[in-house]
Amino acid sequence: METRFFGTREEDIQHAAEIIRQGGLVAFPTETVYGLGADALNPDAVAKVYAAKGRPSDNPMIVHISSKNDLDRLTIEITEEMKKLADAFWPGPLTMVVPARPVIPKVTTGGLDTVAVRMPSDSVAANLITAAGVPIAAPSANLSGRPSPTSARHVMDDLDGRIDAIIEGDDCRVGIESTVVDMTGNVPVVLRPGIITPEQLSRVLGKTVELDPVLRTRPEIKRGQELLETTENFKPKSPGMKYKHYAPKAEMVIYKGDRDKVLLAITEEKFRRTECGQKVEIIMFDDDEPEIAAREFFAKLRACDKAEVDVILAAALKEDGVGFSVMNRMFKSAGYNIVEV
Ligand code: AMP
Ligand code: MG
């Protein structure tokens, strides 16, 4: 298939929206990562998204809307708490899991009777959804298992020839995927950490929002096994969290502990590996600016792939606030290959 490339002008958006309405696939920028969009109410279109990405079919899509009023079209019940979070964080990088209306195809929800909904703040994304006139189901626009795409170039590298069109917008400001919060129980539960933290959600709701306990556990990885095969003690409510994710082609090792010790250990390991003829790259972000780490992390992994690096040595960030969310991605990228120093 020949992939068409669009800019972000009004007429480009109209063409792209028409492709969505016709059941095609369009990759588009959002503030978090690039998304691969299809008409969320068209099961054939959504099925094509799974095929293009090579995504397991039990891993549901986030449905994107461009007006808070559209939440009503997707869910059977809007609670006061959903309203509060929508008012505080929409448009923005927050996804709410809510009871699904039967009109939403099972292929969109991965067979669940809940649906994940988000209203993005990126103007290109918002204009595309409005122009399409339908909610847009969109996972990240990468091949399944590869680092999430934060620029149009990353999308081309993975999906050129596999999808109908790509809207070439700016690089993503947030750089990690949205915070996913499950609103279907008595207490809201964060299923996937993002740039909006549980503390921020708790403040708005005036009560403590919980973290899905699996986010605090590390699955035991046996050598040579994919994360997927270790699910016995690892049953996240968010199906996507159990799959191997974000993997660079290189081996990746995370060093965790006191920063000075980490720096020393990484320097020594780099020396040792280089002596053996390996190409080594270091990923180290400032602990005090986890937002920058979020914005740049996936792009750095992809740059390492392009440079055909053999091993990536990465320094862990402090696991609080946004740092916790970045580390959630970093641990998975490294297949939980962690050295404590
Ligand atoms: P992605 O589209 O790649 O950003 O992934 C979407 C994430 O949202 C995955 O981790 C999904 O498992 C999660 N998700 C989507 N819909 C639901 C749902 N109805 N219940 C729980 N998690 C969901
Ligand atoms: Mg993804």
Side-chain angles (χ1 to χ4, degrees):
M1 151 188 319
E2 174 127 20
T3 300
R4 294 173 68 187
F5 293 94
F6 292 115
T8 56
R9 287 176 315 191
E10 176 59 25
E11 64 194 74
D12 290 285
I13 302 288
Q14 290 299 336
H15 282 304
E18 182 57 25
I19 293 174
I20 296 273
R21 273 196 300 275
Q22 299 293 326
L25 306 188
V26 178
F28 62 98
T30 83
E31 69 276 21
T32 56
V33 303
Y34 270 69
L36 177 58
D39 176 353
L41 304 180
N42 176 340
D44 296 334
V46 174
K48 285 196 279 182
V49 175
Y50 289 99
K53 280 180 60 81
R55 181 178 175 105
S57 61
D58 71 343
N59 189 359
M61 313 260 157
I62 293 174
V63 177
H64 295 73
I65 56 179
S66 60
S67 154
K68 285 178 206 166
N69 296 334
D70 289 343
L71 180 57
D72 195 38
R73 294 169 63 190
L74 301 173
T75 186
I76 42 184
E77 192 202 356
I78 301 181
T79 63
E80 280 309 307
E81 292 190 339
M82 290 178 202
K83 272 193 206 144
K84 278 190 188 164
L85 292 186
D87 285 339
F89 299 107
W90 280 1
L94 179 71
T95 296
M96 286 194 267
V97 173
V98 298
R101 275 193 192 275
V103 62
I104 306 169
K106 284 289 178 211
V107 62
T108 303
T109 63
L112 300 172
D113 50 16
T114 56
V115 61
V117 186
R118 179 164 104 81
M119 177 178 170
S121 64
D122 182 275
S123 61
V124 175
N127 291 342
L128 176 70
I129 300 161
T130 302
V134 291
I136 295 184
S140 47
N142 54 330
L143 288 174
S144 209
R146 299 263 301 126
S148 294
T150 56
S151 76
R153 165 50 56 196
H154 299 158
V155 180
M156 287 175 215
D157 287 345
D158 278 16
L159 298 177
D160 192 4
R162 300 174 71 90
I163 60 178
D164 297 286
I166 300 174
I167 299 179
E168 293 181 72
D170 294 335
D171 291 358
C172 303
R173 289 189 307 279
V174 174
I176 55 173
E177 306 85 342
S178 57
T179 303
V180 177
V181 61
D182 181 4
M183 302 301 289
T184 62
N186 288 333
V187 180
V189 180
V190 169
L191 305 181
R192 179 172 73 183
I195 205 99
I196 295 174
T197 61
E199 294 71 32
Q200 283 176 281
L201 300 175
S202 301
R203 224 173 294 136
V204 166
L205 294 177
K207 72 186 218 193
T208 306
V209 167
E210 288 176 3
L211 258 193
D212 188 342
V214 297
L215 296 176
R216 295 214 181 277
T217 60
R218 289 187 201 144
E220 189 196 330
I221 309 289
K222 299 193 184 78
R223 193 172 284 279
Q225 274 190 344
E226 294 287 298
L227 189 48
L228 180 57
E229 294 170 35
T230 63
T231 49
E232 207 161 307
N233 303 311
F234 193 61
K235 291 201 178 89
K237 266 197 87 177
S238 170
M241 301 304 277
K242 72 175 182 279
Y243 291 106
K244 186 162 192 238
H245 255 86
Y246 320 125
K249 289 172 188 149
E251 173 191 355
M252 182 166 168
V253 192
I254 296 174
Y255 290 79
K256 193 167 152 35
D258 180 80
R259 257 296 152 113
D260 292 338
K261 285 189 192 153
V262 164
L263 191 56
L264 186 64
I266 287 182
T267 308
E268 284 174 357
E269 186 65 7
K270 177 171 179 174
F271 182 75
R272 206 177 62 76
R273 300 270 193 155
T274 310
E275 288 277 281
C276 301
Q278 290 190 330
K279 189 166 179 180
V280 184
E281 194 58 60
I282 294 173
I283 295 185
M284 191 176 301
F285 294 105
D286 191 337
D287 248 341
D288 298 325
E289 292 182 308
E291 291 80 9
I292 294 180
R295 186 154 70 229
E296 295 181 359
F297 177 61
F298 286 132
K300 282 221 191 301
L301 293 186
R302 283 180 177 262
C304 288
D305 282 350
K306 279 244 156 101
E308 298 189 354
V309 164
D310 297 302
V311 58
I312 301 170
L313 307 175
L317 290 170
K318 253 193 291 175
E319 283 180 76
D320 54 20
V322 175
F324 179 80
S325 309
V326 176
M327 288 315 298
N328 170 268
R329 276 69 176 182
M330 200 186 278
F331 287 138
K332 289 183 186 190
S333 305
Y336 297 87
N337 192 5
I338 303 162
V339 175
E340 310 246 4
V341 294

